């Protein structure tokens, strides 16, 4: 019964929101001041934040290939920036030494061009989703430093080279830091040493001098990691190596990190270049340990007690999520002079990786659109302050 009410309430809200959007469009020719104010109010994320920052979404392979018909209208209405959730990562795009799989990424490029959206390349150098052969010598032993750096060079030349002039910016290196700000003991570091960082950015710059080059990581609100990221980027910049901006992955919770913690990092990173909120999603599910961040290897066995909303999100949590999104967007707007892009990690709850991480097979609700690509109250909470402002003008 309670569940039924929750579902009913949320479909009414959805209906009201959809109706008000359609209504504003249908009345486009009416002349009353009130209607004009309603028309002035943006009904899409990209319109709402135009002039402040672009609004991105990570697309999965099916969406990139146009195989998810319901996704396209939402993507084109709300987003003006696209990121490949997986299809440009080393494993999917370069699974074997001489084998590249460009088809899905090419489709994403075409989609972004067709709709005039910026495309973000994710990612050239990462310790995850990178095949073992990259780090091996072909005989089951670790690759030598020269071998590994040569492979990296070939990869960057081929992938960034193919998408030269098409990619607005590259996450050149992803997640090279531990939470304490020291360099992660990845195979990149242990085999090639710190030089891999320098080489990656130098090469990306050489191959696509017009593309912006970013460093991207999670838990960037943590003071020690923030300092580590600043050290990493500043060291490169001081050597004359181009790093244009820092991506703060927004894999956050309902309560943590605090707005103040996020704000401190936005301000600190802005001194080095552009700041982007990448990979935004708010986890509403309970987790076995006080997890934060997004280490994709930190997983737990399935346990029903952590899969608490299989029949829908209770209203109270829905409202909490909406408020959390309102608060973080208020912060982003306050710093829109520093933030160039806000990218959601997925379009709808159905596509979110949080259904499978850190526990596989859960029902998660981290985004602004529900499993049927319908707007959630959180979307309205993000748009409403902008609408109010538009109406007041
Ligand atoms: C995730 C994808 O969303 C999943 O589909 C995949 O199985 C694992 O990787 N940090 C990143 C992203 O930089 O690339 C990760 O994406 C999430 C954490």
């Amino acid at each position: 019964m309670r569940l039924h009410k929750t579902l009913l309430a949320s479909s009414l809200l959805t209906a009201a929101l959809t109706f008000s959007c359609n209504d504003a469009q249908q009345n486009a020719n009416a002349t009353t001041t009130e209607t004009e104010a309603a028309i002035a109010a943006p009904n899409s994320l990209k319109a709402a934040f135009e002039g402040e920052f672009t609004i991105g979404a990570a697309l999965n392979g099916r969406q990139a290939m146009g195989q998810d018909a319901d996704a396209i209208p939402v993507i084109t209405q709300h987003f003006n920036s696209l990121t490949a959730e997986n299809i440009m990562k080393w494993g999917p795009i370069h699974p074997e030494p001489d084998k590249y799989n460009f088809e899905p990424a090419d489709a994403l490029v075409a989609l972004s061009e067709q709709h005039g959206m910026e495309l973000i390349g994710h990612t050239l150098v990462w310790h995850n989703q990178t095949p073992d052969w990259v780090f091996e010598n072909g005989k089951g032993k670790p690759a030598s430093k020269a071998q590994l750096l040569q492979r990296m060079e070939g990869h960057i030349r081929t992938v960034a080279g193919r998408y030269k002039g098409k990619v607005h910016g590259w996450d050149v290196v992803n997640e090279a830091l531990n939470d304490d700000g020291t360099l992660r003991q990845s195979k990149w570091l242990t085999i090639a040493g710190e030089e891999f960082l320098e080489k990656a950015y130098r090469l990306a710059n050489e191959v696509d001098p017009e593309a912006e080059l970013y460093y991207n990581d999670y838990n960037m609100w943590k003071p020690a990691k923030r300092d580590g990221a600043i050290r990493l980027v500043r060291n490169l910049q001081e050597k004359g190596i181009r790093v244009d901006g820092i991506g703060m992955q927004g894999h956050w919770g309902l309560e943590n990190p605090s707005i103040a913690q996020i704000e401190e990092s936005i301000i600190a990173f802005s001194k080095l270049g552009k700041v982007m909120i990448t990979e935004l999603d708010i986890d509403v599910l309970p987790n076995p340990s006080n997890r934060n961040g997004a280490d994709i290897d930190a997983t737990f066995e399935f346990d029903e007690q952590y899969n608490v909303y299989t029949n829908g999100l209770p209203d109270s949590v829905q409202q909490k999520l909406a408020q959390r999104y309102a608060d973080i967007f208020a912060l982003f707007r306050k710093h829109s002079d520093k933030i160039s892009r806000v990218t959601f990690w997925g379009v709808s709850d159905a596509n979110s990786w949080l259904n499978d991480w850190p526990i596989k097979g859960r029902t998660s609700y981290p985004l602004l659109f529900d499993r049927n690509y319908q707007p959630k109250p959180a979307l309205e909470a993000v748009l409403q302050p902008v609408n109010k402002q538009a109406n007041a003008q």
Side-chain angles (χ1 to χ4, degrees):
M1 187 59 201
R2 227 188 106 199
L3 165 74
H4 183 72
K5 264 203 202 143
T6 312
L7 285 175
L8 188 69
S10 71
S11 31
L12 280 178
L13 256 166
T14 305
L17 199 69
T18 316
F19 178 75
S20 65
C21 295
N22 292 342
D23 204 32
Q25 274 160 11
Q26 274 160 17
N27 284 326
N29 296 325
T31 50
T32 64
T33 323
E34 204 184 284
T35 314
E36 275 171 6
I39 293 164
N43 67 359
S44 87
L45 290 166
K46 67 177 176 192
F49 302 107
E50 170 128 52
E52 296 189 284
F53 32 75
T54 54
I55 296 284
L59 300 198
N60 61 30
R62 288 190 61 237
Q63 291 164 335
M65 305 277 280
Q67 291 163 352
D68 183 351
D70 294 340
I72 301 296
V74 178
I75 293 167
T76 53
Q77 180 178 352
H78 288 281
F79 300 97
N80 47 15
S81 176
L82 300 177
T83 303
E85 182 183 4
N86 288 301
I87 58 184
M88 286 184 165
K89 290 172 181 171
W90 195 312
I93 208 168
H94 186 183
E96 290 167 33
D98 296 315
K99 190 174 159 209
Y100 286 87
N101 174 27
F102 291 124
E103 205 191 334
D106 285 357
L108 184 64
V109 169
L111 186 75
S112 72
E113 284 177 344
Q114 189 187 345
H115 298 288
M117 297 160 159
E118 68 178 25
L119 180 68
I120 307 301
H122 175 80
T123 175
L124 293 169
V125 179
W126 191 24
H127 61 283
N128 276 316
Q129 291 181 276
T130 304
D132 290 342
W133 63 261
V134 176
F135 305 109
E136 290 171 359
N137 69 351
K139 296 171 200 133
K141 293 259 160 22
S144 68
K145 174 176 177 176
Q147 213 167 20
L148 180 59
L149 289 176
Q150 202 179 19
R151 290 208 178 111
M152 182 174 87
E153 174 165 355
H155 181 77
I156 294 179
R157 285 198 190 283
T158 307
V159 177
R162 183 176 182 93
Y163 300 117
K164 179 181 175 181
K166 297 177 188 291
V167 162
H168 175 81
W170 273 107
D171 289 337
V172 177
V173 175
N174 198 35
E175 302 178 354
L177 292 166
N178 296 311
D179 277 9
D180 67 2
T182 58
L183 285 177
R184 180 190 289 277
Q185 293 291 308
S186 68
K187 288 186 180 157
W188 288 110
L189 186 72
T190 52
I191 298 175
E194 287 188 37
E195 208 182 311
F196 88 89
L197 293 164
E198 191 175 326
K199 186 138 193 199
Y201 285 91
R202 278 194 201 281
L203 268 164
N205 175 57
E206 187 193 318
V207 172
D208 193 348
E210 303 291 323
E212 294 186 346
L213 307 181
Y214 314 127
Y215 175 70
N216 189 55
D217 212 328
Y218 62 82
N219 277 349
M220 297 282 261
W221 55 271
K222 290 192 172 182
K225 196 156 191 177
R226 175 196 306 145
D227 292 347
I230 290 172
R231 270 196 308 274
L232 186 157
V233 171
R234 192 179 282 144
N235 275 342
L236 293 169
Q237 290 177 337
E238 279 172 356
K239 288 182 187 152
I241 297 168
R242 184 164 67 88
V243 183
D244 300 296
I246 298 185
M248 298 173 61
Q249 295 181 16
H251 299 297
W252 297 327
L254 275 176
E255 320 263 346
N256 293 302
S258 71
I259 295 296
Q261 286 169 320
I262 301 171
E263 180 168 34
E264 271 190 61
S265 290
I266 293 173
I267 293 171
F269 292 151
S270 72
K271 308 208 161 97
L272 298 177
K274 297 191 175 192
V275 180
M276 285 136 294
I277 308 300
T278 61
E279 310 192 18
L280 180 57
D281 49 25
I282 303 294
D283 194 1
V284 301
L285 296 180
N287 281 298
S289 72
N290 209 1
R291 77 122 187 126
N292 45 42
D295 179 353
I296 72 168
D297 292 329
T299 55
F300 305 93
E301 283 300 303
F302 181 81
D303 185 337
E304 203 52 63
Q305 65 169 311
Y306 300 112
N307 190 20
V308 284
Y309 307 131
T310 47
N311 292 319
L313 196 60
D315 262 352
S316 59
V317 188
Q318 190 79 269
Q319 292 317 322
K320 245 181 140 175
L321 178 68
Q323 189 57 50
R324 176 70 161 154
Y325 267 115
D327 295 345
I328 60 179
F329 267 81
L331 175 71
F332 298 162
R333 297 192 72 202
K334 178 176 170 195
H335 294 292
S336 62
D337 59 329
K338 306 174 187 66
I339 297 175
S340 56
R341 169 170 54 92
V342 176
T343 289
F344 289 86
W345 206 240
V347 181
S348 88
D349 288 344
N351 334 118
S352 169
W353 76 303
L354 293 179
N355 293 303
D356 288 314
W357 185 90
I359 300 179
K360 221 171 166 43
R362 294 196 298 179
T363 309
S364 194
Y365 301 83
L367 297 167
L368 302 188
F369 298 90
D370 71 14
R371 297 191 137 57
N372 300 313
Y373 288 104
Q374 296 304 307
K376 289 163 63 177
L379 176 70
E380 206 194 346
V382 164
L383 290 177
Q384 210 190 28
V386 190
N387 288 346
K388 275 205 188 125
Q389 241 176 26
N391 286 338
Q393 276 162 10

